[in-house]
Structure formats: C-alpha cells, structure tokens
Amino acid sequence: MSSTNENTQMNSDLFKRTVTKAKVFQSIFFWAFRLATYFIILAAGFLFVKITYEGSITLFKTEAPFVNWKFLSERPQTLYVFEWSPDSFSEEQKEAVATLEAETREAMVERKAFYEQAIKEAEANEKTLRVELRAQMKKSKATRSKIAALTGQDERLQKDLEKADKKYRKLWASALEEVPVEQRSQLITPYKSDMEVPETETWKDVMAEDPEVKAAYDLVTDIKNQKLETNALIDAEKKRLDELVAERIRITDALPENLKAQSEKELGNLAASLAWPDPSFLENRAGKIAEIESKYDEKISDLTQKYDRKIEAATDNQRMLNKLYTLKADNLNRLENEKQAKILKVKTIEAGDRVYRDVYAPKVDAAGLSAKGYSYSGGGIFPAIAGTVLLTVGSMAIALTLGILSAVYLSEYAKPGTLLNTIRLSILNLAGVPSIVFGLFGFGMFVIFFDWNVSLLGGCFTLAFMVLPVIITASEESLRAIPQGFREGSLALGATKWTSIRTNVLPYALPGILTSSVLGVARVAGETAPIMFTAAYALRDNLPWEGLDKPTDFFFQGVMALPYHIYVVSSKIPQNEYTKRMQYGTAFVFLMIVAGIALTSILLRIRMRKKYKW
Amino acid sequence: MAEKLSQSSFTAESIQKKSGGFLGVDKSTLIKGLFGGNALVAIIVLALITFFLFREGVEFFPQYQHDMSLYRKSGQELAGLLKAEMDEYNELQKELEAVQVVLATETLEEIEGKEWPDENAKWAAYGEKTAAFQNYAESIRSASGPLKDVVEKVRDHTREMKEVVVVQETRKQITGIDLSTLMDEEEAEKLLLGSRQQVKDLMPEIVEAHKAFRENLTLVLASPPKVETEGGKEGLEDFQKEAEKFLEKIPGFERKLEKYDAEKPFTIWKALGGFLMGTEWITASSWQDYYGIWPLLSGSLMVTGVALFFAIPMGVFAAIYVNQIANSKEQNFIKPFIEFISAIPSVVIGFFGVVVFGELIRVWSQAGLEPPDIPVIGSVLGFFSNILNGIALRLDFFPISERLNAFTAGGLLALMAVPTIFTLAEDAMNNVPKAFTEASEAMGATRWQTIWRIQIPTALSGIISAILLGLGRVIGETMVVLLCAGNRIAVPEFKGAGTVFEPVHTMTGIIAQEMGEVVPESIHYRALFCVGIVLFFLSLLINYVAQIIVRRYQIANG
Amino acid sequence: MSDKPKTESVPPSAPAPQVTRDAGDLSAAKTLIEVKDFDFFYGQKQALFDINLEIPEKLVTAFIGPSGCGKSTLLRCLNRMNDLVDVARIGRGSINIHGVDINSKDVDVIELRKRVGMVFQKSNPFPKSIYENITYGLKIRGIHKKSYLDEVVERSLRGAALWDEVKDRLHDSALGMSGGQQQRLCIARAIAVEPEIILMDEPCSALDPIATAQIEELIDELKTDYTIVIVTHNMQQATRVSDKTAFFYLGKLIEFDETARLFSNPDNKQTEDYITGRFG
C-alpha cells in the first residue's frame, strides 16, 4: 500500500493539464469557427426578422379579422395621396373633397355598366372581330419594331438636349466657382438638383436685396426658356409618336366600338406618321441647336466678365452668403415642420391610372388640390400570387413528367456506357447553368422562335427545364432506395420488367419522389431571372382567367408573378412611406410562400427517412 | 386452379421470347424506348440552349462589323480620335479652373488680413496678385482654339452623314414603306464617300491646327506664372505635371492621325476582338455604340471576389464547426437552418439589399452606425457598431456616396453562396473515414490538430469543389447584382481596397436589365446573347473543373 | 517460436491449447494499470460490471472472451477513446495509471493518449506517405527537426520490423502497402512517440496467417520496452503472445491470471468451457 502511495506522490502531475501552444491554437480556432457559424445564422436571421416584421405591418391588422385580406385579394392600384392641412383649406375645398368620394362611387357604377355593355357588343361581333384582331396583332408587331427604331432616334435628340442642359449647369457652376470654397456648397445645393431657383419668399427677398443674385437668376430663367423652346420642337414630334402609339394600343386593346370602323383608317395614319423625322427636320434641328449654342457662348463670355467684377466684391458676397445660409436653414426647418404637419393629415385614394384620370382628376383639380401618384402602392397583389401559382403548377407538371420518366430509365434500364455517362454529365452541367441563361434561352426559343410571345407556357417550359436536374436526381435517388429484392421478387414470379417496375417499384418510390421534388417547387417559385422576359408582366389588369377570347389564349398570355413584382417595386419606384408598405408586404408574402414550401420539404424529408427504411 | 396452371407446362417453347407488340417491336422494347427518350431530355435541353444562344448571338459579329465599318467609312472614327483628345484637354482645363478657385480664395484671405487705406487699393493689389495666373489660364484656354473649331466641324458633319445612312437602313427593314423613296446602297456609299472625302480634304488643316496646338501649349507651359500662395503653388505644380503628361501624349495622337486610313476594312476579327477585349459598353449613344464585355466581366469578377472573400471562410468554418465541434443539438439546429437559407429567393435578398443593407453600408462608411434602442441587445450591438465605426474612420476611401456598389452586392451574394459551400464541404468532411480521426486522437493529437492535419487535407478536394460550385452559383446570380451592384457600366478604376465600393455592372445584370427593352434582332439584342454565351461557357467550365477535381483527387479509402 | 502453427482456425471442440510460453517470474512485475470497481455504461445499457484488474508493467496482457463481452470497451476506457462516443459514461470506480485516476477532472486526455498508444482492429494509416504517417505524432507535438524525425522514422520502422521492406519507398502513400504492412505501420506510428503503454484492439483479425505471425513476433519484441494490452478472441494468439490473460464474459471479469495457469488450470467453470471451445 505504501508503495502505491509513493507512486501517487511521484506521478500526481503525470497527466496534469498543461497549456500548450496546440491547445491555445485550438481554442482560438474553435472560437473563430463558432463565430463564423453564428454570424451566418445571425445575418440570415436578421434578414428574415426584418422582412417579417415590416411585412407583418402590411399583412396583419390589429382588429378582426386580423389579416389584411384586401392586400391578398385585390389587384395592384396606383395610390394617390393628397397632401393638405385642414387649416389651409377653404370651406369650398372641404366640401369638394367630401363629395368627391360619393360621386366617385356613382361614376364607378356608370363605368362598370359601360364596360359591361361594351363587352356584350364585343361578344356579339366576336367572330369577325377575332379574325380582324389576328390581322391587327400581326401588323402591330411590325409596327412595334418601327416605333422602337424611331424611339431610338428620339432618344438621341433628347440626349443632345441634355448636353445643352449640361452646358447651362456648367455655366452656373462656373459662376459659383468664383466664390470661396467653403460657402460654395450652400450656394450649389439650391441649384444643383434642377435648373430652377426655388421661388420661395425668402429667395425673392434675397433677390430684391442683392442685384447680383437677381442677375444670375434672370440668366438661368433665360436659359431655361431657351431650353423650353427647343423642347417644344421635339415635343411636337414626340406627341405625334405618342398618338401613334395610343392608336395602336386602342386597336389591340380592342375597345370594341372603335375597332371596326377605325382599323383601316388608323393603319393608314400609321404609315403616314412613320415618315418622321424627315430630313428637313434634322436640318432644322441642327440649325436650331447651333443657334442656341452660339447664344450660350455669348452668355458665357458675358458672365465671365460679370463675375470678374463679382470677385472684387467677394467680401460682400460672403456676408450675403452667410445671410442666405441662415435664411435657408430657417426656411428648411419651417418646410420640414409643415411637411410633418401635412403627413399627419394625409388623405389617400387608391385607384388605377385610368380610373383616376377619368373620375378623380377633374374633381381633384376643381377642388384646387394636387395629388401625388405612387404606382403599384395601392390595392393588393392577387394577380401576382395567381401568376406564380400557375407558373409553378405548370412547370412542375412538365418537369415531373419528364424527370420521372427519365429517372426510371436511368435507374432501371440504363446500362453503364457512353450514353449513360453523357446523360449524367449533361444533368450535372445543366444544374450549373445560371438561371438567367435559361431565361435567355427561353426567350430565344419560346418567345421568338416559336412566336409564343411573353406567355405562361413559355415561362412554364423555361422553369421546367431549369428545375429538371433537381427532379431527375431526386427521383433517381428514391428509385434506387427501393431494395433490389422488390424487383427480383416480382421478376422471379414471371412478371415482365415493366410490370415489376409499375407494381413493385414506382408505387413505393412515388412518395419519396414527390417529397424530394418539393424542393424543386421552392426553386421554381423563387426564381425571377428565367421568367423576366418569358412570362412576366410588370402590370396586368386582367386576371389570367379573365377576358379570354378562346381557351388556348390562357396559355399564351403573360402573367404577373410575385418575384418579378418584387423586382419591379424595389427597383422601379421610389422608396417612401407609401411605397414601403407595399414593398415589404410583397416580399413578406413571397418569402412566406417559398420558405413554407422549403420547410415542408425539409420536414417531409426527415419524416420520410424515418418512415421508409427498407 | 391446379389444372389451369398445368396448361403452361415447362417446355422449350414456353420460355422462348414471344414476338408481337407493335410493328414487330416487342412491348418492353417500346417501353424502354419511351423512358430512354425522356432520359435524353437533359442532353437535348443542353444542346438546345447552346443552339439558341448561338442562333441569336452569332449574328452579332457581322452586324457589329457593319456598324463599325460605317463608323469608319463616314470618317467619324477620325473625328472620334480628335474628339477623345479634345475631351482629355477639356478635363485638363477643368483642373486648371479648380486651381484658379483655390488661388482666388487664398489671395482674398491674405488681402483681408492686411490693412488697406481704401477699397480701391485693396482690389488693385488683388488684381496684381492674380493677373499673371489669369493670363496663364487664358493662354491655356486659347491654345486649342483653331484645333477646336476644325474638330467640331468634322465631328458634327461626319456624325450627321452616318446618321442619315443608319436611318435609311433602319427604315428599309420596316415593312410597308415605299422602298423607292429610300436611298439605295450606291447612294449611301456615295454619301459616305463624300463625307470621308471632306475629312480627307480637311486633313492638312487638321494637321496644321494640331501642330499649332502643340506648339502653343509647349510655349505656355514653359513659362508658368509666379504664384505666392501655398495651395495655389501646389495646385499649379500638379497641373503643370498633368499638362506635361498630356503634352507627351500629343505625338501619339499625331501618329494615330497620320496612320489613320478610312479605306482600311474593319474585319470580322476586329469585331470579335472588340467584343472580347473592348473596355466600353455604350448603347443608344448619340456618337457611336460600343459593345465591349470588359466592364461587365470585370464587374462580375469583382462582385464574385467580394462574395467569395466572405463566403469561403464562413462556409468552410461553419462546415468544420458543425461537423467536428458542435454537439448534436447544435447540429440539428444549424444544418437545417443553413439549408433553409438557400431557399430564400434571390429577389428577396436583393430587395433586402436595396432597402436595408445598402443603407447600412453607407451609414457605416460615414461612421454613423447607431444601435437600435432595445435594452440589452442594443448595448451589445452598440459595442460592435462602435468598433465598426472606428474602422470606418480609419479607412481613407470612406465615406462613400453610393449605397449600391460591388460590396453591397458581394456581401449579399456571400449569404447565398454560404449554404452551397457549407453543405458540400460538410458532406466532404463527413465522408472522411472515422478510422483516421480515431487513429489521430489515439495518438494524443488535439481536436484541432486532428482537424487541421487529417480532416481538412483528406476532405480538401471536396472542399475545393464546394468552393467552385459556390463560385458558379455566385457568378450566375442575377437578381441580387441587378438590384444591388449599382449598375454603372465602366471598368472600375483601381484604387486599392476602395475599389470594391464602386458601383459596377455585371454580365447577368446587363442581360436582365436590357433584354426586355431591346428591339429583337437588333445589334444590341444580339450583343446580349453573346454575353449569355460567355456566361454559359464560363459556368460549364467551372462545373467541369469542379467535377474533375472531385474525381481525380478523391481519396482511396484503404 | 518457429513451431508456431500456420493456421489459426480452431476446431469446434479442440482441447485446450498447449501453452508454449515460458511463464518466467511474473509475480515480480510492478502494477502499472489498476482498474478498481469499474462500471461502464453505453446510454442505459451497462457494458462493464465491477471490473477489478491490475495490469503489470512491461508484460503483455491479453483480454479474451466471446464477442460483446466488454473486452474492447475496457480497452478503449484505458486511453479514454470512449470520450468520442456521445452516450458513453462511467458509472462507478476508477482506472489508475501510475496511481493516477485517468478519469479525474484534472487529467488532460491529450496527455493521457500521448502516453497510452493504440493500434486498431482495422489498420488505419492516414492517406499520407509512410514517412508522414510515422512523424505525425511528433509533428503534433511540435517537433520538426528533420534529422531527429529521420532518426525516429528509422528507429520505429525497425522496431516494427518494417524498415527493410519500405526503406526505399518512405515517401510513397501508405495506402499502397499490404494489410499486414499497414498494421505494422500503425504499430510503428504508435511507438514513434514512445508511449509507455500500447493498446491493441484485435490487431490481427483482418490479416492473413503470415502477417499475423509477423505481428505476433513483433509484439514479443516490443514488450521489453512497452507495456502491451491486447484484445483478441483467438485463444491460440493469447497463449502465444501474452504473459497474463483476463477472461471476460457478459461484461464481467471472470478470471485473471498468468496465461500459462489460466489455460492449463482455470479456476472457473466458465473459463474452462470457453477455452475448451464449448461456447463462444
């Protein structure tokens, strides 16, 4: 016993914990890894929580029924917002606003009746109309490309004008450069955003006080007028183009009462108006621009002289600038306060463009108000949801058919060889092709080559091809998971290969195939790039099942889709408190749908693994 | 029952193949054919993609050749050379103007600081001090005088002539227009020839003016004015340096002018080179359209670089953590969660970038991150935001003005690449035989030593291919870059780490943005398909390399 | 050792094998590993029941018994490899090496494993070269001096009787060796770091008779320097290589004695049944 004790004494620090370099490294690295892992989770979690939180404000309400059904069931509308504060409102105006909504309702009823009548008439003339419509459509396609070519020219003209505009800006900037640097920014800000000097009271005060500022202001106004003059010239021509477009739209939209009588005449007009721009116009424009430019050159030298003198009075200038700055700050504060006050009392209208123009606009004008429009920000997103569902169902139907058949071949029939290798290689490579390339391919094949136009069918096929590798791989995996014994048992009883596959393999593999394919559904529903130019419309008033001439039209129509809608509302319209609700709401609904599908797939897969173990 | 069975007694015939089915082909062959045909769908789709990309894209090169030929034939190209030179000179003048402002400010300050008998004396002194510089600036401005006039003349004329031809050609393609009212090819050629000729006639004048310009400039630069203020001196020195650099370039311009030959044909190879090497992507321009892929390719690469810079460490670290270090509870939570991240649609991530992340980056660059006002979380976040703000203050390319830039897009793409890298890398590590780990641990290696020396080297090929597939995912991603990369079409100017905060445009982004707006079968439309072709083959290449690596370096499990 | 049988297969009812070893003076050996009242669980299932065992220094101790009797479990407890199993836990008792409780909180498992090497049932060389396999253990201890590493490689390969076979291809992959060579490489890898104890978990079960003979010879040579604990379910092997033998049955230690005595004159009925091949 004593010897054991001695041993213990001797060896008590035999396996003692020591701090070695390796261990320090270990803990440093482990912490780095842990941090990286949780950082990923935090980042994704933040994204998820932020969108959920902001989106919930749009989608849920505090009172029953707690869900904002309107957002889910209506079409997108433009949101019009009056900004007014009651104290600056006359009695008359108040009354006008009050009657506005009542009258609107009446007008809406009228409008509805009108459209119903028109539809009835159209249905009566359906056959003739359809033939003619086809012809018109064909022609309109050609016209479209013409217009596009002309628009290109128009843009060039516009660019010239912008260049002139730039020159004025430079003029103004050079004037500014004469004043000390630190004050310059305060002077620049009011002019930078636009050519105009704000016509507020304070500015008028300043101008009255200081003739130099007045002179500069006059100059700018002068230049502005010059610009307007040239613009008018372009506008006149642009207007003709606009009319052309409008007419064509009217033809294709087939407002029935116009169609028959006008179609031929309008086509004539079309050809005639395409003669623009004639060479004389080009010449005219070149002359005009040269004239304007020479004028500017004069002005530049004028100004240079003027500001040579001005720099002599720079001290005065500084004093003035200080004053200006204080005034501007005060003014801004006041404006900000006013704006705050106004926002509290904002009244909103939700209406589509056409309805607003026909029904509201005259009354709003009459009331001496002005309303700002925010596209897509009113109403709901129902057409987008419907479109996404249709696209998903359609493409999954195609992809499952192709995918399962091909997986059966790969797992049951194919023998190793060149063909099988090539197929596998293709599947692998197909999985790596970027979705935008699928979109490009779909556009080239379905939209252009098959001439399906932007259509539901084109989008379905594009998406189906994209998701094919996922489906094939998933199906094959499920088929391979069926024990060989199932097949052999059946074959041993004298069944043919097909019979044993049909009765003893597919029924057991099918749940697995479908479960694994749910992930493909999430991918299809979530992709934007492939449908951007094959199937998606930014805005379409009709729901997919409305206004169809014949059943096949259902497949050859463009649809709205949630992902594309998110792209449009997040990139094409400005961000402010009215549009924000719509943006977050749409993103939230979409995220919920896709995340829901993905979660289902993950959960189902876990369940499947537990349930089916052969 | 027994009787029935006995009918099919076992004879030689009964086990022979029965003929029948359809057209002599038996049924099972038919069924097999049906399945086999469908299996080919992957090959067919791949072939179709290739076919349609080329079908729409390849026509670009002849069209581009034609377009550039017109540019050359009309003499506009020459005008373009001169225009480029003048533009550069204008830039130079702007710099001089800036120096002028600095000088004026400083001189004013100096004068204000002294006592003057009266205002007149003061301003006289001011005039005296700045006069020399004013003269200098005026001479610089007027140095290019004669050249400027002649350049403008050539520029406007050639452009107009080419435009006439282009308009006529465009209208020829429109159906329903009386062709007789349009110019025929001969006439067009004549017009171009005339234009070209006029340029040629002007050549001596141009050369003369150019020479005068060079001489004037040399003369002016030889005698810089005396400047007394500090900033002015510095500015003037810088300007002189810049101007001398420009002066050195002038002989180059002259040589180009001499060498220029409008009759030389613009070959199809040049069109190909112009696409693959071109550094300008300019469309719907009032001067001339260029379709060079570099601005897009460089943007794509930059965004990808940023994304992988974050995604590789995060993805691989997380894979190591989950596979080796985390306990099973953590594993069961982290793995599905990261898998779940890959299901977030890219457009939602892009939207998040536009409304939240981009703004965060901008605020951070101004060192103004503020944590939310929540009791505990707020103070924790406050700690981190203080650190980040501190970093932002030390970076000299901050603050940035563009909230949407390569960094914004790259940061978000990293989030998308992480699940791919994580899942595949984790798989690779899972496949490392347990025996290796056990042997290492039994020798007294620490966990980390086992991971570093055994686990990672063994799984390396898997990890690398995971990274490559992550790269493939990132480079082909569209919506995030379209929404968040800033969409400025230019080869980013390299300026250290700050480069990644520049807005860029990408190959995927340009297709998505412009495809919807172009006229089908126009040159612009075809150029976009060409970008698609590049993208397609790039992704195939990445995929292929990933597969090779996995196959070749797979460990043999002894 | 030359009269060793060439085959290992035991006829079902063969008589107890003859002990060929010279027992020597075993009682004088010092106790190195002491297992006291040891209970061990996998989750709810108890794998070891009240084990008491004293393993002597610089001798070969064999654990025998039918499969699932807990012999491998005990072996893996000796260098705490069971730590890698999530559900494993110790119920009661202790294992002392040099009188130190290796399961105590103060024990550094890394240090422990550095001193208690292990050779596994299935050879598991790393997918690296032979040289790197041997030097792995040294490198993780931070030893990088080339001359020293070379020396150790030669010494341990010689120690494992492998040097002459592989000296010309030290930098080839270890996965290209034969099964027996791989197992000897694993032993060489273990002794390269000079542990005190080498645990061997059925090191020959996957090998052919010739390779087995080589390994057994090696074990015999190694015991002059190392304390070896070997698990085997091959009784001939136990008699050939071990000095002391422990017989386990259903998680319990049935009998522990000098090999010669245990095989020739077992105290316990179960032991006798097992070694005469009546069950197991």
Side-chain angles (χ1 to χ4, degrees), chain B residues 392-406:
Chain B
L393 283 176
R394 270 165 196 77
L395 297 176
D396 52 1
F397 45 86
F398 274 171
I400 50 168
S401 53
E402 297 285 345
R403 67 198 171 99
L404 300 181
N405 53 47

PDB file of all heavy atoms in Angstrom, chain B residues 392-406:
ATOM      1  N   ALA B 392     -14.363  52.335 -39.819  1.00  0.00           N
ATOM      2  CA  ALA B 392     -14.769  53.208 -40.924  1.00  0.00           C
ATOM      3  C   ALA B 392     -13.984  54.511 -40.918  1.00  0.00           C
ATOM      4  O   ALA B 392     -13.616  55.039 -41.959  1.00  0.00           O
ATOM      5  CB  ALA B 392     -16.264  53.491 -40.844  1.00  0.00           C
ATOM      6  N   LEU B 393     -13.706  55.021 -39.714  1.00  0.00           N
ATOM      7  CA  LEU B 393     -12.975  56.291 -39.629  1.00  0.00           C
ATOM      8  C   LEU B 393     -11.550  56.147 -40.135  1.00  0.00           C
ATOM      9  O   LEU B 393     -10.952  57.090 -40.615  1.00  0.00           O
ATOM     10  CB  LEU B 393     -12.946  56.781 -38.185  1.00  0.00           C
ATOM     11  CG  LEU B 393     -14.239  57.412 -37.693  1.00  0.00           C
ATOM     12  CD1 LEU B 393     -14.123  57.771 -36.233  1.00  0.00           C
ATOM     13  CD2 LEU B 393     -14.570  58.641 -38.526  1.00  0.00           C
ATOM     14  N   ARG B 394     -11.003  54.931 -40.012  1.00  0.00           N
ATOM     15  CA  ARG B 394      -9.615  54.739 -40.398  1.00  0.00           C
ATOM     16  C   ARG B 394      -9.436  54.400 -41.877  1.00  0.00           C
ATOM     17  O   ARG B 394      -8.316  54.349 -42.366  1.00  0.00           O
ATOM     18  CB  ARG B 394      -8.990  53.650 -39.519  1.00  0.00           C
ATOM     19  CG  ARG B 394      -8.383  54.239 -38.269  1.00  0.00           C
ATOM     20  CD  ARG B 394      -8.095  53.178 -37.248  1.00  0.00           C
ATOM     21  NE  ARG B 394      -7.870  53.798 -35.952  1.00  0.00           N
ATOM     22  CZ  ARG B 394      -8.835  54.249 -35.178  1.00  0.00           C
ATOM     23  NH1 ARG B 394     -10.093  54.142 -35.559  1.00  0.00           N
ATOM     24  NH2 ARG B 394      -8.553  54.805 -34.005  1.00  0.00           N
ATOM     25  N   LEU B 395     -10.513  54.088 -42.572  1.00  0.00           N
ATOM     26  CA  LEU B 395     -10.393  53.756 -43.993  1.00  0.00           C
ATOM     27  C   LEU B 395     -10.441  55.047 -44.808  1.00  0.00           C
ATOM     28  O   LEU B 395     -11.379  55.827 -44.678  1.00  0.00           O
ATOM     29  CB  LEU B 395     -11.526  52.829 -44.419  1.00  0.00           C
ATOM     30  CG  LEU B 395     -11.530  51.474 -43.709  1.00  0.00           C
ATOM     31  CD1 LEU B 395     -12.742  50.668 -44.122  1.00  0.00           C
ATOM     32  CD2 LEU B 395     -10.261  50.714 -44.018  1.00  0.00           C
ATOM     33  N   ASP B 396      -9.414  55.247 -45.642  1.00  0.00           N
ATOM     34  CA  ASP B 396      -9.350  56.560 -46.279  1.00  0.00           C
ATOM     35  C   ASP B 396     -10.276  56.683 -47.484  1.00  0.00           C
ATOM     36  O   ASP B 396     -10.468  57.766 -47.998  1.00  0.00           O
ATOM     37  CB  ASP B 396      -7.896  56.924 -46.657  1.00  0.00           C
ATOM     38  CG  ASP B 396      -7.254  55.822 -47.453  1.00  0.00           C
ATOM     39  OD1 ASP B 396      -7.950  54.828 -47.706  1.00  0.00           O
ATOM     40  OD2 ASP B 396      -6.076  55.958 -47.819  1.00  0.00           O
ATOM     41  N   PHE B 397     -10.845  55.544 -47.972  1.00  0.00           N
ATOM     42  CA  PHE B 397     -11.789  55.698 -49.069  1.00  0.00           C
ATOM     43  C   PHE B 397     -13.215  55.913 -48.579  1.00  0.00           C
ATOM     44  O   PHE B 397     -14.149  55.947 -49.359  1.00  0.00           O
ATOM     45  CB  PHE B 397     -11.731  54.507 -50.020  1.00  0.00           C
ATOM     46  CG  PHE B 397     -11.696  53.189 -49.325  1.00  0.00           C
ATOM     47  CD1 PHE B 397     -12.851  52.555 -48.934  1.00  0.00           C
ATOM     48  CD2 PHE B 397     -10.466  52.590 -49.070  1.00  0.00           C
ATOM     49  CE1 PHE B 397     -12.808  51.343 -48.299  1.00  0.00           C
ATOM     50  CE2 PHE B 397     -10.422  51.367 -48.432  1.00  0.00           C
ATOM     51  CZ  PHE B 397     -11.581  50.753 -48.054  1.00  0.00           C
ATOM     52  N   PHE B 398     -13.376  56.038 -47.277  1.00  0.00           N
ATOM     53  CA  PHE B 398     -14.697  56.314 -46.720  1.00  0.00           C
ATOM     54  C   PHE B 398     -14.818  57.798 -46.473  1.00  0.00           C
ATOM     55  O   PHE B 398     -13.820  58.470 -46.302  1.00  0.00           O
ATOM     56  CB  PHE B 398     -14.860  55.541 -45.415  1.00  0.00           C
ATOM     57  CG  PHE B 398     -15.360  54.148 -45.608  1.00  0.00           C
ATOM     58  CD1 PHE B 398     -15.381  53.265 -44.564  1.00  0.00           C
ATOM     59  CD2 PHE B 398     -15.826  53.728 -46.846  1.00  0.00           C
ATOM     60  CE1 PHE B 398     -15.824  51.975 -44.734  1.00  0.00           C
ATOM     61  CE2 PHE B 398     -16.289  52.446 -47.031  1.00  0.00           C
ATOM     62  CZ  PHE B 398     -16.280  51.573 -45.967  1.00  0.00           C
ATOM     63  N   PRO B 399     -15.954  58.417 -46.407  1.00  0.00           N
ATOM     64  CA  PRO B 399     -17.257  57.812 -46.661  1.00  0.00           C
ATOM     65  C   PRO B 399     -17.543  57.645 -48.161  1.00  0.00           C
ATOM     66  O   PRO B 399     -16.959  58.348 -48.970  1.00  0.00           O
ATOM     67  CB  PRO B 399     -18.216  58.832 -46.061  1.00  0.00           C
ATOM     68  CG  PRO B 399     -17.509  60.124 -46.148  1.00  0.00           C
ATOM     69  CD  PRO B 399     -16.058  59.821 -46.028  1.00  0.00           C
ATOM     70  N   ILE B 400     -18.430  56.742 -48.483  1.00  0.00           N
ATOM     71  CA  ILE B 400     -18.815  56.536 -49.865  1.00  0.00           C
ATOM     72  C   ILE B 400     -20.175  57.173 -50.097  1.00  0.00           C
ATOM     73  O   ILE B 400     -20.945  57.344 -49.163  1.00  0.00           O
ATOM     74  CB  ILE B 400     -18.888  55.034 -50.203  1.00  0.00           C
ATOM     75  CG1 ILE B 400     -19.726  54.302 -49.159  1.00  0.00           C
ATOM     76  CG2 ILE B 400     -17.502  54.455 -50.291  1.00  0.00           C
ATOM     77  CD1 ILE B 400     -20.084  52.905 -49.546  1.00  0.00           C
ATOM     78  N   SER B 401     -20.426  57.520 -51.350  1.00  0.00           N
ATOM     79  CA  SER B 401     -21.709  58.169 -51.625  1.00  0.00           C
ATOM     80  C   SER B 401     -22.734  57.196 -52.177  1.00  0.00           C
ATOM     81  O   SER B 401     -23.930  57.388 -52.028  1.00  0.00           O
ATOM     82  CB  SER B 401     -21.493  59.318 -52.596  1.00  0.00           C
ATOM     83  OG  SER B 401     -20.807  58.841 -53.725  1.00  0.00           O
ATOM     84  N   GLU B 402     -22.244  56.124 -52.831  1.00  0.00           N
ATOM     85  CA  GLU B 402     -23.185  55.191 -53.448  1.00  0.00           C
ATOM     86  C   GLU B 402     -23.498  54.065 -52.486  1.00  0.00           C
ATOM     87  O   GLU B 402     -22.611  53.344 -52.062  1.00  0.00           O
ATOM     88  CB  GLU B 402     -22.562  54.595 -54.718  1.00  0.00           C
ATOM     89  CG  GLU B 402     -22.266  55.602 -55.789  1.00  0.00           C
ATOM     90  CD  GLU B 402     -23.514  56.061 -56.488  1.00  0.00           C
ATOM     91  OE1 GLU B 402     -24.565  55.390 -56.345  1.00  0.00           O
ATOM     92  OE2 GLU B 402     -23.456  57.088 -57.175  1.00  0.00           O
ATOM     93  N   ARG B 403     -24.790  53.920 -52.146  1.00  0.00           N
ATOM     94  CA  ARG B 403     -25.079  52.825 -51.226  1.00  0.00           C
ATOM     95  C   ARG B 403     -25.105  51.491 -51.965  1.00  0.00           C
ATOM     96  O   ARG B 403     -24.905  50.440 -51.397  1.00  0.00           O
ATOM     97  CB  ARG B 403     -26.378  53.064 -50.479  1.00  0.00           C
ATOM     98  CG  ARG B 403     -27.592  53.025 -51.341  1.00  0.00           C
ATOM     99  CD  ARG B 403     -28.782  53.681 -50.678  1.00  0.00           C
ATOM    100  NE  ARG B 403     -29.818  53.780 -51.673  1.00  0.00           N
ATOM    101  CZ  ARG B 403     -30.819  52.930 -51.771  1.00  0.00           C
ATOM    102  NH1 ARG B 403     -30.936  51.959 -50.913  1.00  0.00           N
ATOM    103  NH2 ARG B 403     -31.706  53.053 -52.727  1.00  0.00           N
ATOM    104  N   LEU B 404     -25.386  51.524 -53.282  1.00  0.00           N
ATOM    105  CA  LEU B 404     -25.400  50.291 -54.051  1.00  0.00           C
ATOM    106  C   LEU B 404     -24.085  50.171 -54.806  1.00  0.00           C
ATOM    107  O   LEU B 404     -23.804  50.968 -55.692  1.00  0.00           O
ATOM    108  CB  LEU B 404     -26.570  50.289 -55.032  1.00  0.00           C
ATOM    109  CG  LEU B 404     -27.936  50.407 -54.361  1.00  0.00           C
ATOM    110  CD1 LEU B 404     -29.033  50.380 -55.399  1.00  0.00           C
ATOM    111  CD2 LEU B 404     -28.144  49.318 -53.341  1.00  0.00           C
ATOM    112  N   ASN B 405     -23.275  49.208 -54.435  1.00  0.00           N
ATOM    113  CA  ASN B 405     -21.975  49.043 -55.079  1.00  0.00           C
ATOM    114  C   ASN B 405     -21.562  47.581 -55.028  1.00  0.00           C
ATOM    115  O   ASN B 405     -22.312  46.735 -54.532  1.00  0.00           O
ATOM    116  CB  ASN B 405     -20.940  49.929 -54.394  1.00  0.00           C
ATOM    117  CG  ASN B 405     -20.903  49.709 -52.906  1.00  0.00           C
ATOM    118  OD1 ASN B 405     -20.866  48.571 -52.443  1.00  0.00           O
ATOM    119  ND2 ASN B 405     -20.954  50.777 -52.146  1.00  0.00           N
ATOM    120  N   ALA B 406     -20.379  47.304 -55.544  1.00  0.00           N
ATOM    121  CA  ALA B 406     -19.934  45.909 -55.629  1.00  0.00           C
ATOM    122  C   ALA B 406     -19.915  45.252 -54.258  1.00  0.00           C
ATOM    123  O   ALA B 406     -20.216  44.074 -54.119  1.00  0.00           O
ATOM    124  CB  ALA B 406     -18.545  45.842 -56.246  1.00  0.00           C
TER     125      ALA B 406
END
